[in-house]
Amino acid sequence: MNPQFDTRTRSQPADGPPARRLRRPSRHALLTAAFVALMGAMPLACTWTAAPGGAVPTGGPPVGEAAAGPTAPTLAAAGAAPERGAPAPGATPLPAPAGSWLLPGIDDVAEPNRDLVAALHVAADEARAAHGAQATVWDEGLARAARQHAAELAARNVLDHQGLDPDRRTVADRLARVGSPYATHAENLAAVPPGLDAVPATIDGWLQSPGHRANLLAPDFDRVGYGTAVGADGTVFVTQVLARAPWAPSDWSAALLQVGAVRLTLELAVAEPTTVLIDVDGAQAQPAFAAGAWAWTTEVAAPGPWEVLVAVPGSAPGRFTLDDAGTVGGDGRWRPDDGRVRPRESVRVRSASVAEGVREVVRLRLTLPTPAAQLVVGAVELPGANRGGGSIEAELELADGAELLMGLAEPRDDGALAVRHRWLLRRDGAAIHWAARP
């Protein structure tokens, strides 16, 4: 028989009443489990109960409750009691002591049941695969934070995302405490009564609760850690922490360099106002000219010669008709290709010249978080970047005082790029500054 739910939504201030407690179910109850979910800054708490005939036990406070709203309140001062979480099934929560709550040895707590956490990992990944989400990679930092919180929950005999130790009050606090770098994370909790198989009870319960299901199946998460602890009455407390691997490059460098440059100039005769398509060795530009004599300059790769094609708009939109063609040698001389057909001759190349000089570029080198990462400007892949050895190198033109929004992107199945990390590159004189962006 399917379990039934009774949920209510509320928002509770810091000095509000404690979360409603779940009364001990009757001796005929088949299954009782309590779950609490947290995703980012929007906590969601709920309890899940099934009883004979699908009935929910009565005679007390509601057995199901959900809280959605702002993050858990911050402790006002030392000794102030934090907001209570949901009690474990049939349990009496320990009172919150005044001051900092510390569990001796919690920093070095060991996993009491490695087989259980391995089975939870497998079952959760199977559920994710069934819904099109990627498998998760075990992360010991996440697992350490999960183990510490599970140990606290078992000692307090309560489900609560908020720890009593000020250094471990939130998921972010606990991750920072163990040195984990993940900024995007989620946490699921479960309390499984004695006698039940903890793996299906936990995973099935999370899948049937919207908040936990969203965390468990979130496609962006690719790292996970589990922690378990057993309470005095045999209740198994499970903590799951999911995260997305950071895409910030582990190492980067940027330097302003002066590099050699070759500039090719074409002297053009334009018979009538028009847009001109100029192709130099495959690099194209579409400048517009009025009638008259014009000089057009571009930077080219040395050495020459360079093939030049000049075309004007054709009869159909987006189509161009060749109007002149030839090559420019390393000596700068224009050599027309007289064998080409020139139906209009509205634009002709009269002469050419080549000049050597220098230009300033920013040479950027990054260590990639994954080989698939693409270097982008805005949301467009940067052409000409060189890859090798897990890093990427590119040269950019950046004027003094200018800024450039860049990022690392992940290719999606549809061929589009999903930007996973952004930064702002700014030049101040010879100094290049890097500032991460959300």
Side-chain angles (χ1 to χ4, degrees), residues 128-379:
R128 289 173 60 83
H131 292 84
Q134 62 182 320
T136 54
V137 177
W138 179 268
D139 185 279
E140 186 55 31
L142 298 179
R144 187 180 175 197
R147 286 196 300 269
Q148 293 175 3
H149 196 53
E152 177 181 330
L153 298 180
R156 293 169 55 194
N157 211 24
V158 67
L159 277 184
D160 194 351
H161 284 291
Q162 181 171 291
L164 296 188
D165 183 347
D167 290 339
R168 298 184 178 86
R169 291 189 58 245
T170 67
V171 185
D173 290 339
R174 294 189 283 275
L175 292 180
R177 176 86 178 195
V178 300
S180 180
Y182 304 113
T184 303
H185 54 260
E187 182 180 78
N188 282 341
L189 306 177
V192 183
L196 295 180
D197 188 337
V199 174
T202 298
I203 302 302
D204 292 347
W206 284 342
L207 288 172
Q208 294 181 50
S209 168
H212 307 89
R213 181 186 179 92
N215 288 347
L216 179 63
L217 303 181
D220 283 348
F221 289 138
D222 53 12
R223 300 292 187 272
V224 75
Y226 293 85
T228 69
V230 181
D233 64 351
T235 297
V236 177
F237 290 83
V238 179
T239 301
Q240 177 198 52
V241 182
L242 295 141
R244 187 177 73 182
W247 268 60
S250 58
D251 186 35
W252 73 277
S253 64
L256 185 66
L257 305 175
Q258 288 190 335
V259 298
V262 177
R263 290 181 173 86
L264 182 152
T265 300
L266 300 177
E267 301 291 340
L268 304 174
V270 182
E272 58 187 13
T274 184
T275 297
V276 181
L277 174 64
I278 304 176
D279 183 305
V280 180
D281 278 352
Q284 295 183 346
Q286 293 188 35
F289 298 104
W294 298 93
W296 178 82
T297 300
T298 187
E299 193 169 285
V300 293
W306 302 275
E307 183 181 25
V308 177
L309 304 176
V310 178
V312 294
S315 57
R319 306 282 294 184
F320 285 81
T321 301
L322 186 67
D323 220 28
D324 204 351
T327 59
V328 177
D331 56 3
R333 292 181 57 192
W334 168 248
R335 297 174 175 84
D337 182 356
D338 294 328
R340 301 267 189 166
V341 177
R342 299 175 179 82
R344 294 176 58 183
E345 297 190 354
S346 57
V347 179
R348 298 297 303 271
V349 178
R350 295 302 187 189
S351 64
S353 61
V354 173
E356 294 186 2
V358 296
R359 62 186 177 98
E360 292 184 326
V361 298
V362 175
R363 181 169 294 168
L364 184 65
R365 182 179 177 85
L366 308 174
T367 300
L368 298 175
T370 173
Q374 303 286 338
L375 185 61
V376 297
V377 174

